[in-house]
Amino acid sequence: MKRRFSPYLRPLSAVVIVTSLAACSGTSQGGAGGAADELRLAISAEMPTLDPQTVYQYEGNQVLTAVYEGLLTYSPDSTDEIEPMLAESYEMSDDGLTYTFHLRDDVTFADGRAMTSKDVLASFERLADPDLGSQMAYMVAGVKNYDTPDDSTFVVELSAASSSFLSLVASPFGPKVIDADVLDEHADDDAAAYLAENTAGTGPYQLTSMTAGQEYDLARRDGYWGAEPYFATVSVKVISDAATQLLQLQGGDLDVITGQPVTTLNQFAADDDYQVVRFPTLQKADLHVKTSGTLADVELRTALRDSIDRQALVSQVWGEYATVSEQMYPAGMVPEGTAADTWQTSTQTSNGDLATLARGKTITLGYIAGHTADQQAAEALQAQWAAAGVDVELSSVQGNDVYGLSGSLDTAPDLLFEAAYPDSAHPDTWARLFWYSDSADGNGALNYLAGGTPAADELIDTGSAATDQAEIEKAYGEAGDAIHDDVSYITLADLQDAFIMSADLTGAGHWLPLSVTLDLRTLKRN
């Protein structure tokens, strides 16, 4: 039976919200430094590699989604719809164990060779290879067997039914198809060194040059199976400083920037030469909580959480580009009323007040270095807790260092603010990555401060293995309730994605599970 996977989300608006005044100056010749068919973007952090199976950071996806593709994809209208990509159709067996993907017959790699099922097989197997050490290997950990009965058919047999499998195949971080000839030619190290600086995908663009830490240059490639993208060349610059990105946009050296504070968004929304384009996302502002050390007492953790005025925080940091969180999961991921994360803001507890519980303690609050909004949110939280009589010290954490915090909890902050998003629109990719307490087999990869409980783990596993919709929703809902009661994770706000663009750009596409990234297949210049 053929299915389209979207059973867990209530509908999200497919309408892109554009906030700007009518543009009065046509800029069809491109910005000051570029031609009309050249697009210039910026990312805020260097990519450690161009390997699509080992890059697990959102900045890199602006490049990788242009050069690599998977069997399925999320719709570029920022909804939970899953669409065909390199597989034109698929069937799932009635027991949920076997998936048969029928591949397109017009897909080629950059060297002109036709894609076949052997390329898909090699890519899936490489992702699971422990020698590669991919953090995304969990996506195929439940696979029992693969089969390629012919060049256009790829069959996956799972060890147990998985309600999240199709969402993982469609994930922006999911299995991307890599040229098997390239993998064979560089088999000594799983092609890791070659793919660090070269691309071998089926996407509409290919890498033409790169300067590590500075810039990636892409060119539209001939023979792409899909519609030809508008832009002939794309330049992606690495610019860590948001203010520098802003200056280059105003100077005509960039066409699109993102990650700007709300004051900047509001300023450019009123400028005729620019537009602010925003999309619904699964991104959530939250706090990881270390349940050992200073915050070992659940009563203190609860009091800290209940003292947070989330509406004031949203108004101060994100303005109209966010809403107060109401659930443990990203907005729309589970039914309304499920896994509620609400409280009446108060500094009082059943045994006194927050200041009394926190007396003599200094609580450290970490945030990701270089993220302006993250620092603003951390400072706003510090101010709220200071007003309640709590001593909170701020600490910046480098983005790549967060993955090692769970292994060095003695030196890790007590709290870590993060604006996070799951790998797909399925609740398992939120609960399993961020809450799962047993880190074996790739679980809890983003559980930076080792929170969660074994009881919640069991509920997450129940939801993953279930085939009945009501049972799935019940299990994930109860897992969220368990994390809420343990206060090992505090949700703050549901965020929108906002891009500042030159006024002559149109057709921006965006994937719901992936922040700060645009679909370059759909973007055009008027």
Side-chain angles (χ1 to χ4, degrees):
M1 79 189 140
K2 294 185 180 180
R3 295 184 179 176
R4 177 187 59 77
F5 185 90
S6 60
Y8 304 106
L9 294 177
R10 59 183 184 269
L12 291 172
S13 171
V15 177
V16 176
I17 306 168
V18 180
T19 309
S20 70
L21 301 178
C24 60
S25 58
T27 53
S28 60
Q29 296 304 308
D37 62 352
E38 177 189 7
L39 182 68
R40 293 142 319 149
L41 308 168
I43 56 177
S44 61
E46 164 65 333
M47 298 164 58
T49 174
L50 286 171
D51 190 334
Q53 294 184 334
T54 59
V55 173
Y56 202 28
Q57 62 186 56
Y58 58 79
E59 289 96 343
N61 269 293
Q62 189 59 80
V63 174
L64 296 181
T65 55
V67 296
Y68 289 102
E69 298 170 319
L71 297 179
L72 304 174
T73 183
Y74 277 91
S75 169
D77 64 0
S78 209
T79 66
D80 63 308
E81 301 280 342
I82 287 179
E83 299 179 343
M85 181 62 87
L86 300 182
E88 61 184 1
S89 65
Y90 66 89
E91 293 94 34
M92 182 179 72
S93 62
D94 289 338
D95 60 8
L97 293 177
T98 303
Y99 294 81
T100 302
F101 296 93
H102 303 285
L103 309 180
R104 299 184 63 93
D105 62 5
D106 55 354
V107 178
T108 62
F109 293 100
D111 64 0
R113 185 179 68 80
M115 181 198 75
T116 70
S117 58
K118 81 164 188 175
D119 300 292
V120 183
L121 173 63
S123 300
F124 271 69
E125 289 183 333
R126 179 178 186 266
L127 181 60
D129 187 346
D131 290 338
L132 186 67
S134 173
Q135 289 180 290
M136 293 90 84
Y138 83 93
M139 296 184 176
V140 293
V143 174
K144 178 180 180 181
N145 186 53
Y146 298 112
D147 190 21
T148 54
D150 56 52
D151 284 351
S152 61
T153 308
F154 179 62
V155 181
V156 181
E157 181 184 0
L158 302 181
S159 300
S162 171
S163 61
S164 65
F165 179 69
L166 284 178
S167 79
L168 295 174
V169 174
S171 167
F173 291 100
K176 299 296 184 289
V177 177
I178 304 170
D179 189 332
D181 287 354
V182 169
L183 298 180
D184 289 341
E185 184 178 350
H186 302 276
D188 288 348
D189 66 345
D190 277 329
Y194 179 83
L195 292 176
E197 298 180 347
N198 301 274
T199 58
T202 63
Y205 289 92
Q206 61 183 345
L207 183 75
T208 55
S209 66
M210 62 172 281
T211 302
Q214 297 183 35
E215 187 170 347
Y216 300 89
D217 295 313
L218 309 176
R220 185 174 60 202
R221 74 176 184 89
D222 296 332
Y224 177 58
W225 64 269
E228 181 180 82
Y230 175 87
F231 290 101
T233 60
V234 178
S235 170
V236 182
K237 298 181 180 180
V238 182
I239 305 174
S240 59
D241 182 59
T244 302
Q245 289 190 21
L246 193 62
L247 289 172
Q248 292 205 16
L249 177 73
Q250 292 173 308
D253 295 320
L254 290 174
D255 296 301
V256 182
I257 61 173
T258 189
Q260 295 291 323
V262 65
T263 52
T264 301
L265 295 174
N266 291 338
Q267 172 191 345
F268 277 78
D271 190 321
D272 288 359
D273 291 328
Y274 302 95
Q275 56 183 320
V276 175
V277 182
R278 45 183 170 148
F279 302 88
T281 74
L282 297 177
Q283 191 172 32
K284 206 170 188 75
D286 49 63
L287 290 168
H288 295 256
V289 184
K290 186 170 69 176
T291 58
S292 58
T294 304
L295 299 182
D297 181 4
V298 69
E299 185 177 7
L300 174 55
R301 298 199 300 270
T302 303
L304 273 174
R305 178 193 65 196
D306 292 355
S307 70
I308 300 172
D309 185 340
R310 291 190 291 187
Q311 185 57 66
L313 183 70
V314 167
S315 298
Q316 179 178 348
V317 179
W318 301 286
E320 63 182 281
Y321 301 94
T323 56
V324 171
S325 173
E326 297 181 353
Q327 294 176 288
M328 294 296 295
Y329 293 89
M333 184 173 270
V334 295
E336 290 186 42
T338 301
D341 193 32
T342 57
W343 60 81
Q344 186 68 39
T345 302
S346 174
T347 60
Q348 300 299 309
T349 73
S350 57
N351 295 320
D353 61 14
L354 171 60
T356 301
L357 290 171
R359 183 174 297 146
K361 300 178 184 292
T362 297
I363 298 168
T364 53
L365 169 59
Y367 63 89
I368 309 301
H371 292 197
T372 303
D374 289 17
Q375 182 175 348
Q376 289 177 337
E379 291 170 348
L381 287 166
Q382 180 189 40
Q384 287 193 16
W385 282 323
V390 181
D391 182 20
V392 175
E393 291 185 354
L394 299 186
S395 172
S396 63
V397 180
Q398 295 300 316
N400 288 332
D401 291 344
V402 297
Y403 301 106
L405 293 178
S406 61
S408 54
L409 286 176
D410 288 345
T411 58
D414 300 305
L415 301 163
L416 178 69
F417 174 86
E418 182 187 31
Y421 58 92
D423 287 345
S424 82
H426 191 286
D428 196 76
T429 61
W430 183 262
R432 187 171 301 278
L433 287 177
F434 291 97
W435 301 342
Y436 211 91
S437 66
D438 184 351
S439 60
D441 300 322
N443 295 313
L446 305 180
N447 188 356
Y448 304 129
L449 298 182
T453 68
D457 293 354
E458 185 175 347
L459 288 163
I460 294 166
D461 289 338
T462 298
S464 176
T467 55
D468 177 73
Q469 178 65 23
E471 184 180 353
I472 292 169
E473 293 175 354
K474 181 175 184 292
Y476 285 113
E478 291 180 355
D481 293 338
I483 299 299
H484 172 85
D485 293 343
D486 187 57
V487 201
S488 52
Y489 204 80
I490 300 170
T491 74
L492 300 170
D494 291 297
L495 311 181
Q496 295 179 356
D497 228 356
F499 299 81
I500 302 176
M501 306 181 185
S502 59
D504 61 342
L505 294 180
T506 186
H510 180 274
W511 297 283
L512 182 68
L514 185 59
S515 294
V516 304
T517 302
L518 294 173
D519 185 351
L520 301 187
R521 298 165 182 81
T522 62
L523 196 60
K524 300 178 181 179
R525 195 186 301 279
N526 284 334

